[in-house]
Amino acid sequence: QYRTRTSCTFAAGDSDLVSVSNHADLQVDDSDFSFSGWIKVTVDATSVDNEDGYAVIQAGVYGTGANRLGRGFYLFYNDAAGDDEVFQFYTNSASATSTSLNSDNVTHDTWYHVVGTFDHSATTARLYVNGSEVSAGAKTDMVEPTAFTSAVKIGGSDTNHINAKQCEIIFWKGTILSPAQVAGLYNNGRPRH
């Protein structure tokens, strides 16, 4: 099992993040894994000013076509339809195949606790927001993430970043958090800043 945790608060933008060098302990191909973090988007997304971007953890990228192969996994904040914002848990394969699991609608300036889990043997992903599984339920045919070559970004991304506060970001390799464990993390208390 591999676990890393940060208690920093990431304020906003592409300069306020932690970049962790790529290491075998952070690769999740052929592994169960989980991640969690608190996030509060501080700018209201609109159809004019979208706030799309990577959030909490980015261990890989979205990819299409031979020149941009996607690999790994990440959490994405998507505001593609104006004020209809959702969290998306993505996994990507070396063949540029990707799948995502979406949360229900979220609003800005509110703290959310987000947890993603991936069961390698069942290729099943779950996404939890504020201690409860999202209404879409488990995605049982999630793409198996493959090894990625980039650094892992915690609290943001060099590109496609969002204006948000993020903290208490945790990653577990070899662990699938149970619903009781997810609820326990959420009930442990929300950030006060």
Side-chain angles (χ1 to χ4, degrees):
Q1 178 181 349
Y2 184 81
R3 177 178 174 181
T4 184
R5 176 177 182 151
T6 177
S7 60
C8 301
T9 299
F10 302 98
D14 62 344
S15 62
D16 199 7
L17 59 90
V18 171
S19 182
V20 180
S21 296
N22 196 316
H23 190 276
D25 289 338
L26 298 171
Q27 295 289 343
V28 295
D29 51 318
D30 301 324
S31 298
D32 298 333
F33 66 93
S34 301
F35 63 85
S36 72
W38 286 95
I39 180 170
K40 176 170 73 169
V41 179
T42 54
V43 173
D44 188 15
T46 68
S47 58
V48 176
D49 180 23
N50 286 355
E51 279 291 308
D52 298 343
Y54 297 101
V56 179
I57 189 166
Q58 178 194 356
V61 295
Y62 175 75
T64 58
N67 296 324
R68 190 175 175 206
L69 297 180
R71 292 180 168 87
F73 73 96
Y74 53 86
L75 187 74
F76 199 78
Y77 177 79
N78 191 348
D79 141 46
D83 279 336
D84 185 21
E85 300 98 20
V86 296
F87 296 116
Q88 297 177 308
F89 173 16
Y90 269 91
T91 57
N92 295 287
S93 75
S95 64
T97 301
S98 65
T99 52
S100 66
L101 177 59
N102 294 357
S103 74
D104 303 307
N105 190 47
V106 297
T107 60
H108 81 293
D109 213 26
T110 300
W111 279 109
Y112 288 95
H113 186 252
V114 180
V115 174
T117 67
F118 184 80
D119 181 332
H120 162 67
S121 63
T123 60
T124 297
R126 296 182 186 275
L127 181 62
Y128 301 84
V129 176
N130 291 345
S132 299
E133 191 170 358
V134 298
S135 63
K139 187 169 181 63
T140 58
D141 58 350
M142 199 79 161
V143 166
E144 180 80 24
T146 53
F148 53 91
T149 57
S150 59
V152 174
K153 306 297 173 66
I154 298 172
S157 171
D158 292 330
T159 59
N160 294 335
H161 55 274
I162 59 174
N163 291 295
K165 291 186 176 181
Q166 301 175 68
C167 64
E168 294 295 318
I169 297 167
I170 310 171
F171 166 72
W172 296 263
K173 181 176 180 178
T175 299
I176 305 169
L177 295 178
S178 70
Q181 289 171 317
V182 170
L185 285 170
Y186 170 66
N187 292 325
N188 194 38
R190 71 183 60 230
R192 303 201 191 303
H193 39 278

